[in-house]
Amino acid sequence: MRWQEARWGLFFISPWLIGFAIFYLVPMIASLVFSTYNFTLSAPDEARFVGLQNWQRMLFEDPKTWESLFVTFRFALISLPVGMVTAFLLAVLLNSKNLIGRNIFRTLFYAPTMVPLIAAILIWSAVLNPQTGWINRVVEFFGVQAVGVNGLRWLDDPSLIYIAYTFIGLYGIGNAILINLASLQGVPTELYEAAEIDGANWLRRLWTITIPMVTPVIFYNLILSVVGLLQYFIVPWVLNGGSGYPEGMTNFYMIYFYKQAFTFQNMGYGAALAWLMFIVALVITLFLFATGRYWVYYSGDTGNDD
């Protein structure tokens, strides 16, 4: 009986298994093999087996590998907490029963997500323009010189470029807000009622009830955000063509990978770079799952592993 049920289960998930094998597993295995070859897309017949030379070059001889990885992590340290905290706090605001017109605000905050990403990036490049951008004009309204050559050059100043990119990232956090909002609405109301009877204020209820109850969703968003930031590519590519402007601050890892694999057509070396990123993402993900047991609360978890 169990074997019959298992066969039906395999039958129903077979489309996913076939798609995974064709579009993910086989290309991954192929890229691992490619990383041991030296070949270009324009001359695949001249491919030559080089063993681990691409890996040796990537890990020990090419400083740009680690420089681009460092740039990616430095940007992630700024963008990750800002994006996650902003999405959560906005979800808390949109879940408040004291907010008038909640449905309208929910729609407005989610609406930017439906704008194509390329169009959103171009819009933000105009918004952050040092001469005509409205952010500089708003800042100048408070007495700070922001407009002009000596003003705030968000996309040109190395000290401001990550803040500007984080602004652009906030434009598309509608999905994260929506997921957080759904989790907030799943918190049992009797917990809040009991806390109010005990005299707990809003901040106390947020810290001791809301956040622990939604930690599985926070954990989920954290995994997606980390993986997304490790693959950060489109914004710097659209704004400066992957030139690293200003002063190499936007030489992200995926930019370097794309140039090696497709601009220079060095597919063997590009495959090695892709596998290094996969290993880095896998290590971080496993670390987060290992530490999740100490801060992620599951209502069905009794804490007894027996």
Side-chain angles (χ1 to χ4, degrees), residues 214-233:
V214 301
T215 47
V217 171
I218 294 175
F219 180 70
Y220 171 76
N221 282 332
L222 176 63
I223 296 291
L224 291 186
S225 299
V226 168
V227 174
L229 286 170
L230 290 177
Q231 299 175 346
Y232 198 70
F233 174 79

Side-chain angles (χ1 to χ4, degrees), residues 62 64-65 252-260 269 273:
D62 187 358
K64 290 186 178 180
T65 301
F252 293 94
Y253 188 87
M254 295 308 293
I255 295 285
Y256 185 56
F257 156 74
Y258 182 86
K259 285 183 175 178
Q260 287 292 336
Y269 192 59
L273 289 169

Side-chain angles (χ1 to χ4, degrees), residues 64-82 162 166 222 225-233 248-255 273 276-285 287-288:
K64 290 186 178 180
T65 301
W66 302 109
E67 290 173 4
S68 59
L69 202 58
F70 177 70
V71 167
T72 303
F73 275 101
R74 186 164 53 179
F75 173 67
L77 288 176
I78 298 173
S79 180
L80 180 66
V82 172
Y162 290 159
T166 301
L222 176 63
S225 299
V226 168
V227 174
L229 286 170
L230 290 177
Q231 299 175 346
Y232 198 70
F233 174 79
M249 296 292 287
T250 58
N251 272 327
F252 293 94
Y253 188 87
M254 295 308 293
I255 295 285
L273 289 169
L276 177 62
M277 176 52 72
F278 173 74
I279 293 170
V280 170
L282 181 63
V283 170
I284 295 175
T285 303
F287 173 77
L288 292 175

Side-chain angles (χ1 to χ4, degrees), residues 17-238:
L17 291 174
I18 295 172
F20 175 78
I22 294 176
F23 297 109
Y24 289 94
L25 185 60
V26 172
M28 287 179 67
I29 295 173
S31 68
L32 184 60
V33 175
F34 290 166
S35 70
T36 61
Y37 278 81
N38 182 14
F39 76 101
T40 62
L41 286 175
S42 58
D45 297 337
E46 300 176 4
R48 180 170 56 88
F49 181 75
V50 295
L52 297 177
Q53 285 186 12
N54 286 327
W55 289 80
Q56 181 180 358
R57 172 190 169 191
M58 174 183 65
L59 296 175
F60 305 109
E61 300 172 2
D62 187 358
K64 290 186 178 180
T65 301
W66 302 109
E67 290 173 4
S68 59
L69 202 58
F70 177 70
V71 167
T72 303
F73 275 101
R74 186 164 53 179
F75 173 67
L77 288 176
I78 298 173
S79 180
L80 180 66
V82 172
M84 290 199 62
V85 171
T86 303
F88 178 75
L89 292 180
L90 284 174
V92 171
L93 174 66
L94 296 174
N95 192 48
S96 173
K97 60 183 179 183
N98 298 318
L99 179 65
I100 300 174
R102 283 190 301 178
N103 292 335
I104 296 175
F105 282 108
R106 289 172 182 176
T107 304
L108 291 176
F109 276 104
Y110 185 77
T113 307
M114 295 183 288
V115 177
L117 181 57
I118 303 298
I121 295 171
L122 296 178
I123 291 171
W124 269 98
S125 67
V127 171
L128 295 169
N129 186 287
Q131 301 290 343
T132 59
W134 61 262
I135 286 186
N136 277 6
R137 294 185 179 277
V138 170
V139 173
E140 190 147 290
F141 180 77
F142 293 97
V144 178
Q145 183 183 0
V147 178
V149 178
N150 298 322
L152 298 176
R153 306 181 68 85
W154 298 96
L155 299 176
D156 305 314
D157 190 337
S159 61
L160 296 176
I161 187 67
Y162 290 159
I163 298 175
Y165 279 21
T166 301
F167 274 144
I168 297 174
L170 291 178
Y171 194 70
I173 61 172
N175 285 327
I177 294 174
L178 201 64
I179 295 171
N180 279 308
L181 184 60
S183 68
L184 291 172
Q185 294 179 346
V187 179
T189 56
E190 57 265 27
L191 296 178
Y192 293 116
E193 294 169 356
E196 288 179 1
I197 293 173
D198 291 339
N201 57 26
W202 177 85
L203 189 61
R204 183 73 173 176
R205 295 196 298 273
L206 177 71
W207 184 252
T208 59
I209 297 176
T210 305
I211 293 179
M213 293 297 291
V214 301
T215 47
V217 171
I218 294 175
F219 180 70
Y220 171 76
N221 282 332
L222 176 63
I223 296 291
L224 291 186
S225 299
V226 168
V227 174
L229 286 170
L230 290 177
Q231 299 175 346
Y232 198 70
F233 174 79
I234 297 179
V235 174
W237 188 262
V238 171

